[in-house]
Structures are given as structure tokens and as C-alpha cells.
Amino acid sequence: MKHIYLLGASLLVLASCKPNLEPTKPTSGDANFTSYVAIGNSLTAGYADGTLYRSGQINSYPNMLAEMFAFAGGGDFKQPLLPGDAGWPSLKYVLGVSSTGSLGPTTYSGTMDTAGSGTNVYAAGPYNNVGIPGIRCIDYIMPGYATANPYAARLVNSPMQTALAMATSKPATFYTVWLGANDVLGYATGGGVGTVNTGVTYPTATNNISSTTLFGFCYDSVVNNLARTGAKGALINIPDVTSIPYFTTVPYNPLNAADPNFGPQIATLNAQFAQLNQVFTALGKPERKIIFNTTGLSPLLIKDKNLTDLSAQMTTVLTAAGLPAAQATLYGQLYGQCRQATAADLMVLPSSSVIAKPNATAIAAGVPQQLAINGVTYPLEDRFVLTGDFKDGTSNVSGEIALAKTATAAFNAIIAAKAQAKGWALVDMNKFFASLQAGMKFNGVTFGVSFVSGGLFSLDGVHGTQRGYAVVANEIIRAINLHYGSTIPVVDVNKYPGIKFP
Amino acid sequence: MKRKLSIITSLLLSSSVVFAGGFQVNMQGVRQVAMGGSSTALAYDIASIFYNPGALAKTAKGTQVYLSANGIFAKTTFVSTPTAGYTSQTDNPMSTPFNLYLSHKLNDKIALGFGVYTPFGSTVNWGNTNANSLRYLIEKIELRNINFQPTISYQVNDKVSIGAGLVYATGSVVLEKGIPLFDPNGKEGVGRLEGKANSIGFNMGVHAQLNDRLTLGVSYRSQVRFDITSGDATFTVPSSLAANFPTTTFSASLPMPQVASLGLGYKVNNKLTLQGEMNFVGWESYKSLDFTYAKTTTTLMNSTSARNWENVFIFRLGAHYQYNDRLELMAGIARDPSPVKDGYFSPETPDANRFLTTAGLVYKVSDKINLMASYYYTQTDQREVYNNADAVKGKIQTAAVAGGIGVSYKF
């Protein structure tokens, strides 16, 4: 029977057989990844779900890149990690179920990671990921900026050290630079309340669009400084901010006639607005008429500060028509600069929590409750809408979106020219984000740009999920390989966590 | 957020099931495996119930029983391309195809036989951890097929015999794939489909002794199509999304293709016999894999995935050497091309052209008892694979070895 044992032994030998297929060794081409530093803002830092937290930093796109660079001579990659995972200096969003049973972002119920988060960690540096959430391109060479930004304050050796000086304290051989989004994003997420700066104005308010002149000067200084030691790199341009879920999730026409809280009011509303609509016609602005559809969906009523303010004329006309003076004045104030939204307008994500609800501030100021319903009888405030273009009577009114797009194009032209001048790779993230609108697949998983379900954007609607950042990393790798002739492998997107559902 | 989030449409279960290694299991007899899988033309034993029922009248003597089993160890490696950022590797359990044959020679002319064997089947386990980037395509699949075949064979004259069997086929499939939805602990969703089906088919053949040296065999096994009409579909997802993935039943259909074989045996001398064989395998019938669910939602939708496999010809060469009265030695080779066309890669069947080498021996313990052993080895080509529908691209290679043992007993 000893043959049986022989057989058993030979089966064990058989079981050890395996394919001899081995991965090919990646190469660095004309680039040198020995020492890699990532320059940027929140996207670079690994910010997600409305804040910065440790696991998001660990799976930041620069860290993913560094892991891939390591296959082709890349060295260690050190990040200024926060101690906790709850978020700092505000708690992160998590998905929760509301009382009505629908899913949506809620604030994480755990304790904030305050202990040690604000501690300056310069001494443990230098760091390879020097992304600073909130920083604009125009802030990058500004001494004292760290006093206004707790994320920057952690990293600098003194409050007066510029972000650039901190980032270059140890020169690298390869840089990625993804700066500039905040030079327009703050304006856009703020619903276009801010202004467009020009010349050398350095605004401390973060909801303005930065001056193109100043942007160009700062961008030049940053890249020149990085390149002075002969380093190479990749410059990443700015995605069109209006393509992200923060702007595309809330529709312009969410008011549904089938909604029992809204549908039965439509006849009354239309009767009330009929008189006002005659005034709009009389004043040559028939496009401003307010009409709610008796079936299907109706657009929101919004304030559009770019429209000619007709308050005084409206009050005059209404008074002449026999309305009491106080009422005529109120109508003029409320509806002198408003219109119903169109498909060209973008509602910001936070608008979803105020739409169709009474505006407490307006009521406190004396507006009757029935005229204080946000987006229905009370024009949705400027900060909740990034307006599109609008034909108002005989005039074509250019909206806030156009300003954001113009600025994005101008900044991207500066970035492209700089990449060209330095011979660095240009990562056209703007074009890539546009392509994502149609969705993309990775090893059987479909990704898209829709909020939560798309899988790319985290719960703040602006920043990536870790899988979203992996997709970004792969696009950067693609551009680097193309430009430098390297063969850096792609990141396994499916390796990273996605949004957690209750 | 007062909106219902219509979560994740269409990204799930968009493609799916089935087998591996071209999922034919050509291991229905020890001598036959040892001779490169060929045995249509050479009638050594009652495994001809499977290989060529037409030869049974020649191989059956008195009453016989034949039992054999194989242990297959297969590993597949997937490496992402263009350059390797990640790899996946299967961790398959040993699979054990087996065969049981009974025969009884009724008279000079007629032999009866009964076979229980496993002509198709596969177990592929890529793993369910995040080390396996392919897990949303497939984590694990187990395909089993057992055929029961009553057979009759008739000796037409000195040279020619014919035979036929009715095939009653039972099949089952279990497959699991990841669903990219995470619960509060970060645990990923999984979908599990489990189904059974039965079907019938036939197996027939002709065997002819052309002259003292030459033998000819022709056999045909019909297609057997498994129609799963009420399989169980269960999904483990975060509780807030449970309504999107109801427990339901599914239907699907899988073809086990027709196989036509032509073999020629040549007796070189009293000791050495050679055999050449060609199999035509009708994989073309595997056009798509479709799942239809009894309950569908916006996230659990019926799916169809193109397979478009192609027919293949397998070429086999075997040698048999009668060392002495008690010992037979065998060896063989075969070229077994993949039916999976370029661009249709699916990790449930990580298939590539394979070249296999085999060897074995038979020891005659007594006039009644034979002990048999075989060895099988293959390493497929390294194949560039992709599937644009799933956006997957890489390189694969499979290595497989199998050890077989068997015993036959003559009453």
C-alpha cells in the first residue's frame, strides 16, 4: 500500500504548480520619480465628505501615484496625517436615513478629532504631500496666509512662511501641481455672491473669482520655483466646476404637482401671481412671469441679481392699479429682481434643505408666511443659485456660470502655456471630467458623476471618494506616461473604499 | 436631501456566469487521459462508453466495473496591462471529476453499458477581498455536470461495431460576485446565484478495424442545454438598499456543446500503438449569457452579456506501449485551443490556448483487476485579454496539473 503514499506525495507536488506569468517592470522614461512632491489644495490633500480625515489622506491621489512611482524608482512618500478619522476642523458627512426614509448626507455622530489635529507638524517633515485644503493659487506665495488657514498652519515653520517655501523646503525631482480650482470654486459654491477681481487685487474673501493677472503671476512664480533645480512634473488644470454634483444634483424644477403639499396650492398661487404677471408684461419683461404647471414639474422662483431691478416701477404700477401702498411696496421689493429658474441655472447642493420651506429671516422681517416660501413665493436667495444666461425682455443677461467658465478657461490657458514653456506634462483634467459625464467603467464597475450613486464624488458633492481619487490618479498617470514615455502602471480603483450605506 | 437616490443603475450583474478552461473536462478514463485525451479509435476498456459507444461491443467482456477519479489543480494569474499595477490569482480548490462505468456482454454481438461521468464543470475562485480587482465580474463560480448514460453497442461484423447511449444530464451552478456597495463597517455587498437544471442528449459512435494495423473511430455527443428556470438569487447589501435587491428567482440557459470526434489508431508493432484524434467542439452555441429575474428593480435588472464563443478543433496524439504482460505505459500530447475570442474576456472562464502533455501506466494485478494512474500537465499561452464592455484589460495564464487513478474489475 505504500504506493498510495507515493500518490499522495505526488499530488502535493502537483498542487504547487502555478503559472509563470510575471508582471512587466514599469519604467520611468524621461522622468525621475526618486523624490516626488504633490502641490495643491483640498483635492491633493485627500479631503472628502466635507472635511479632512486620516483615511482620506492615506488614500489621497498623490499617495496612490507615489505607490505606482515606486515601481519605477520612486522613493518614500510622507504625508502630514491627522490623528483621527472623524474629520477636522469639522466632522465629516456620512450617509443617513431621514425621517421620511430617504438617504442623504448627515453629520457624523462621533466625536471630533480635536486632540493633536491642530498641532504644528513642521518638525516631522518635510512632507511629500503638501496639499492645503482651501488654498488658492493666489495664496501660494502670500506670506502670512497660514494665519488664516488651520490646514496651512499645521505645516509651516512660522506663520509667515509661504506655502511655496514650505513645499520646496526639500527640493524634489518630480512635482504634480493641481492649483487653481479654489480661485473659481469659492465663487461658484457661494452661488456667485462674490465678485470678479482684476489687476493685482488680493481679496481675503474666498468667494471671489481671482484676478487672472494675479493668478498668472502666482502660477508662474510657483512653477518657476519648482523647476529651478531641474525638476520635472505634471501640471493639472481646473475642471469646469459646474460639472460636479454640488451643482448638478438639485434640479431647477423640483416642484412637483403630484406632491400633496404643493399640488393643491398651484391654482391659488397662479391666481395670486396673475396680477403680478400683468405688470411684468406691462414693463416689457414677460419672461419674468411666474407660472406653476398644473401637471408635472415647475421651476423654482429665484433671485437673479444681474436682472434690472424693477422694484420701484412695479410698486408704482401696482399702486396705480389700486393696491394698498404697503402691499405694492412689498411686492416690488420681493419680486423686482426675480424670475423662475431655467435649465441653464444651477442650484447648489445646500439649497435642497431650504427649498419649499418658510424663510424664517424673511418672516421675522415682516414678510407674510404665505409669501415667504423659499423658491415658491419667496425668491431663492442669490447664494443658492449659480445663475445661467437669461433673456430678459430685450436684453440678454449674462449669468454667473458664464463668469466661472470664463475664469476657468483663462486659468487653464495659463496652466497650459506654463506646461508648454517648461516642457512639463499637462493633465487636462477639465477634458477628463467632461468625459466622465457619460460615465466610465473599471473592471466591471460603472462610475458616473451623479451624487452618491455615481461613486466618484464624496458626500460634499465637490471632492472625490477614494475611488474617485483613484480614477483621477489614473488620468494623471496616463498623461505622465504619454509625456515622459514612462510606463507607470494604473491604480486598482476597486481596491479603495466607496461610500458607506446605512 | 428629500430626494430618493436612484442608486447604482446597471452596474451590477451586468455580466456573468460560467465555467472555466473552455470548461470541457476531458478526463473520462485513465488510459485516455494518459494518451493526450484520445480514445475514439482505440478500444482498450469500457471507458469507451463515453469516448466511443461504438467500441463497447469490442471492449466489454463478461461483466465489468470501472472506476476512476482525477484531482485537478489549476491556477490562473491575471496581470493588469499595459503595465502591471495589480494582479489577481485564483485560489481554486482541487476539483475531482470522476467516472463510473458498468458493462455486461449480453452475447457475442451485444454489449450493454452504463456510465456516470462528469463531462463539463469548473470551479474558479478569484477571491472576494479587495486584492482581487475582478471581483465585481466574478468572485467564485462552481459549475457541475454529471451525466448518466445507459448504452447499447452492437458488433455488426468482425470489423465494425456501433453503439449509442441516451444521456441524462444534471447540472448545477453557483456563482458569486461582488456588489460595489458598502455597509457601515465597510463590508462589501455580494450577489449569489444558485441554480439547477436537467436535460437529455445522446452519445453515439462507430468503431472499425480497418486492417491488422489500422483502426478507425468516429463518435458524436450531442449538445446538452441546461435551462435554469427557477434559480435562487440572493443579495447581501446594506439594509437601506435591501429593497433595491430583493431575494428573487432567476432563469438562465447554458449550452454544453456538441462534440464530434474522429480518431485513427496505428499499430506500429506488437508493443507500440499510436493514435491520432481530432475533436470538433461546437462552442459557437454559447452566444450570450442572459439572466432574467422574476423581480427586477432599477438596480437589479435583467442582463445579457455577449460571449460569442467559436467552434474549436482539438488535436490529440497518444502512444501506448505494452511493456510486458502486466505493464502498459502511455503518453500523449494535445493542442486545445480556446473558444473565447479576443475581446470577450470574462474571468469566469479565463481561457487561453493550451498545449498539454500527459503520461500514465496500467498495471495488471490479476486477470480480474487492473490498476491505473495518469498524469496531466498544461500551461496555457500567456494571453492578452480584454473586454471593452467591462473595461477590463490584462494578461492571463493558467497552469493545471492533474493526477488520476482508476481501477477496473472483471467479474
Side-chain angles (χ1 to χ4, degrees):
Chain A
M1 287 309 282
K2 70 182 174 197
H3 299 296
I4 295 295
Y5 297 113
L6 257 174
L7 197 71
S10 58
L11 279 179
L12 283 176
V13 173
L14 299 186
S16 65
C17 132
K18 64 175 188 186
N20 57 19
L21 176 62
E22 293 291 340
T24 46
K25 172 103 177 104
T27 54
S28 60
D30 299 332
N32 176 358
F33 302 111
T34 311
S35 159
Y36 161 51
V37 166
I39 310 277
N41 50 40
S42 52
L43 298 165
T44 300
Y47 193 97
D49 301 317
T51 190
L52 191 66
Y53 53 90
R54 190 180 177 93
S55 64
Q57 292 179 290
I58 289 170
N59 290 329
S60 64
Y61 80 80
N63 200 39
M64 297 176 191
L65 292 180
E67 281 177 18
M68 295 299 114
F69 292 162
F71 286 115
D76 287 344
F77 194 80
K78 190 190 251 185
Q79 300 200 94
L81 297 177
L82 286 167
D85 223 33
W88 182 80
S90 60
L91 286 165
K92 65 184 175 186
Y93 295 127
V94 293
L95 261 191
V97 181
S98 76
S99 53
T100 59
S102 62
L103 280 170
T106 54
T107 303
Y108 177 60
S109 59
T111 316
M112 181 125 57
D113 310 317
T114 40
S117 295
T119 307
N120 183 285
V121 292
Y122 179 85
Y127 296 102
N128 297 84
N129 184 344
V130 290
I132 299 170
I135 200 166
R136 297 169 295 186
C137 174
I138 59 170
D139 297 325
Y140 219 75
I141 56 172
M142 182 58 64
Y145 172 75
T147 58
N149 183 329
Y151 294 119
R154 294 178 68 221
L155 304 180
V156 291
N157 71 349
S158 81
M160 293 311 285
Q161 188 184 33
T162 65
L164 180 61
M166 179 271 295
T168 53
S169 57
K170 183 190 159 207
T173 58
F174 196 85
Y175 291 96
T176 57
V177 182
W178 199 2
L179 275 179
N182 288 327
D183 294 78
V184 59
L185 184 69
Y187 171 84
T189 55
V193 170
T195 57
V196 181
N197 292 131
T198 53
V200 291
T201 314
Y202 175 79
T204 46
T206 55
N207 65 350
N208 293 349
I209 291 177
S210 298
S211 150
T212 305
T213 310
L214 192 58
F215 183 100
F217 175 77
C218 292
Y219 203 85
D220 249 23
S221 311
V222 171
V223 178
N224 288 344
N225 217 289
L226 301 178
R228 75 184 192 285
T229 56
K232 289 174 178 171
L235 303 182
I236 305 163
N237 74 6
I238 309 167
D240 180 351
V241 296
T242 61
S243 64
I244 61 181
Y246 192 85
F247 299 101
T248 56
T249 302
V250 181
Y252 77 97
N253 60 348
L255 305 172
N256 193 338
D259 182 341
N261 295 321
F262 174 68
Q265 317 283 343
I266 291 175
T268 317
L269 286 168
N270 282 341
Q272 275 182 355
F273 281 118
Q275 191 182 14
L276 212 56
N277 288 342
Q278 288 174 6
V279 179
F280 287 133
T281 306
L283 294 174
K285 306 288 187 191
E287 295 83 2
R288 294 202 203 177
K289 281 199 255 182
I290 301 160
I291 299 165
F292 296 101
N293 299 322
T294 52
T295 58
L297 303 173
S298 293
L300 292 164
L301 185 63
I302 61 168
K303 161 120 176 161
D304 183 348
K305 67 172 183 292
N306 291 319
L307 300 183
T308 310
D309 190 348
L310 300 176
S311 300
Q313 292 99 308
M314 284 176 68
T315 302
T316 308
V317 175
L318 288 167
T319 310
L323 233 61
Q327 202 180 350
T329 306
L330 176 65
Y331 279 13
Q333 283 169 353
L334 280 179
Y335 305 115
Q337 209 176 18
C338 79
R339 61 178 173 86
Q340 279 184 303
T342 74
D345 299 310
L346 296 172
M347 308 299 136
V348 298
L349 199 52
S351 70
S352 65
S353 59
V354 303
I355 284 171
K357 289 189 180 147
N359 187 317
T361 316
I363 292 167
V367 177
Q369 164 121 11
Q370 71 271 21
L371 295 183
I373 308 300
N374 285 320
V376 182
T377 55
Y378 192 85
L380 206 54
E381 294 160 69
D382 187 19
R383 65 193 166 105
F384 291 119
V385 191
L386 196 65
T387 56
D389 298 345
F390 186 72
K391 185 178 178 301
D392 188 33
T394 53
S395 49
N396 290 311
V397 180
S398 185
E400 295 156 348
I401 293 171
L403 294 176
K405 282 183 184 289
T406 302
T408 303
F411 298 159
N412 282 345
I414 289 167
I415 294 169
K418 199 67 202 169
Q420 175 86 28
K422 287 286 171 203
W424 285 21
L426 174 69
V427 186
D428 195 346
M429 202 56 78
N430 185 31
K431 190 174 169 188
F432 182 65
F433 269 48
S435 77
L436 288 178
Q437 301 295 310
M440 65 154 285
K441 277 195 171 191
F442 182 88
N443 286 350
V445 183
T446 306
F447 291 98
V449 293
S450 53
F451 191 49
V452 182
S453 63
L456 293 175
F457 286 92
S458 72
L459 298 173
D460 58 30
V462 175
H463 299 90
T465 58
Q466 291 171 22
R467 291 190 174 194
Y469 281 126
V471 166
V472 162
N474 283 344
E475 177 61 13
I476 296 170
I477 287 168
R478 201 186 61 79
I480 288 173
N481 284 343
L482 199 65
H483 188 82
Y484 290 108
S486 50
T487 57
I488 303 301
V490 296
V491 171
D492 178 9
V493 177
N494 292 349
K495 186 170 84 174
Y496 295 97
I499 291 172
K500 290 173 180 171
F501 288 77
Chain B
M1 306 289 141
K2 296 285 182 194
R3 281 152 290 103
K4 283 273 180 195
L5 296 164
S6 65
I7 307 297
I8 303 90
T9 331
S10 87
L11 61 104
L12 306 159
L13 303 166
S14 59
S15 70
S16 279
V17 154
V18 174
F19 4 70
F23 72 80
Q24 232 193 323
V25 180
N26 288 302
M27 295 195 171
Q28 282 73 29
V30 181
R31 276 191 180 89
Q32 294 77 3
V33 168
M35 294 176 67
S38 66
S39 188
T40 309
L42 295 186
Y44 284 109
D45 57 43
I46 64 169
S48 51
I49 287 173
F50 171 81
Y51 284 97
N52 184 355
L56 183 63
K58 292 196 178 88
T59 53
K61 292 177 179 66
T63 301
Q64 282 171 266
V65 58
Y66 179 110
L67 187 63
S68 72
N70 270 275
I72 308 176
F73 302 88
K75 279 200 179 76
T76 302
T77 298
F78 171 92
V79 174
S80 68
T81 57
T83 38
Y86 54 91
T87 61
S88 295
Q89 187 138 39
T90 61
D91 181 20
N92 304 333
M94 177 176 80
S95 65
T96 53
F98 66 92
N99 316 285
L100 169 67
Y101 301 110
L102 304 167
S103 72
H104 181 67
K105 187 90 185 223
L106 212 55
N107 57 40
D108 282 354
K109 293 279 191 186
I110 297 173
L112 299 178
F114 187 74
V116 182
Y117 55 88
T118 49
F120 295 93
S122 149
T123 303
V124 179
N125 183 7
W126 288 100
N128 59 4
T129 69
N130 73 350
N132 169 26
S133 185
L134 307 176
R135 66 193 181 281
Y136 304 117
L137 296 166
I138 196 81
E139 284 179 356
K140 187 167 93 171
I141 175 153
E142 293 168 11
L143 177 83
R144 297 188 201 290
N145 168 210
I146 301 175
N147 284 2
F148 301 86
Q149 181 190 319
T151 307
I152 184 163
S153 180
Y154 179 70
Q155 185 87 40
V156 180
N157 57 35
D158 284 357
K159 297 188 186 309
V160 178
S161 58
I162 59 173
L166 179 73
V167 170
Y168 176 74
T170 65
S172 71
V173 65
V174 176
L175 91 111
E176 289 177 13
K177 58 195 292 183
I179 299 175
L181 294 169
F182 305 85
D183 76 6
N185 300 317
K187 193 172 175 299
E188 191 167 70
V190 63
R192 180 182 166 93
L193 301 182
E194 188 167 3
K196 285 189 164 72
N198 303 320
S199 190
I200 57 166
F202 62 91
N203 182 0
M204 53 192 268
V206 180
H207 186 266
Q209 186 79 42
L210 298 180
N211 60 34
D212 284 353
R213 291 184 182 274
L214 276 177
T215 54
L216 173 74
V218 179
S219 77
Y220 177 77
R221 293 191 292 280
S222 71
Q223 170 171 288
V224 170
R225 181 169 276 279
F226 286 124
D227 292 314
I228 298 169
T229 52
S230 187
D232 296 320
T234 49
F235 305 94
T236 308
V237 293
S239 57
S240 61
L241 300 172
N244 296 55
F245 294 91
T247 295
T248 181
T249 60
F250 74 94
S251 60
S253 181
L254 308 173
M256 307 292 128
Q258 58 177 332
V259 180
S261 304
L262 174 68
L264 202 60
Y266 181 70
K267 191 169 181 179
V268 179
N269 55 42
N270 279 337
K271 297 235 178 218
L272 180 65
T273 310
L274 299 178
Q275 173 172 242
E277 179 168 326
M278 184 176 77
N279 307 132
F280 165 85
V281 187
W283 284 119
E284 199 180 78
S285 62
Y286 190 27
K287 292 197 183 310
S288 77
L289 182 62
D290 304 335
F291 289 97
T292 308
Y293 297 97
K295 270 187 247 170
T296 57
T297 66
T298 51
T299 49
L300 179 66
M301 296 188 295
N302 295 333
S303 70
T304 177
S305 313
R307 288 294 177 267
N308 293 327
W309 282 19
E310 59 190 2
N311 297 333
V312 296
F313 286 96
I314 304 171
F315 293 94
R316 306 177 187 281
L317 206 56
H320 178 275
Y321 187 77
Q322 189 75 43
Y323 183 76
N324 59 31
D325 283 353
R326 290 197 178 276
L327 186 62
E328 301 163 50
L329 301 174
M330 287 131 329
I333 52 173
R335 183 66 179 162
D336 188 355
S338 170
V340 182
K341 285 195 274 195
D342 285 348
Y344 287 91
F345 170 68
S346 171
E348 85 227 357
T349 41
D351 208 29
N353 295 338
R354 58 187 66 197
F355 182 83
L356 53 99
T357 51
T358 63
L361 56 86
V362 174
Y363 184 72
K364 187 173 173 180
V365 179
S366 71
D367 283 347
K368 289 178 181 293
I369 298 177
N370 275 343
L371 292 180
M372 304 169 280
S374 67
Y375 170 80
Y376 165 109
Y377 173 79
T378 185
Q379 172 118 305
T380 70
D381 295 349
Q382 296 187 0
R383 184 177 189 185
E384 299 273 2
V385 294
Y386 64 96
N387 185 330
N388 291 338
D390 294 323
V392 52
K393 192 167 189 286
K395 209 182 237 189
I396 59 161
Q397 187 175 36
T398 299
V401 289
I405 51 169
V407 57
S408 67
Y409 187 83
K410 215 172 282 175
F411 289 96

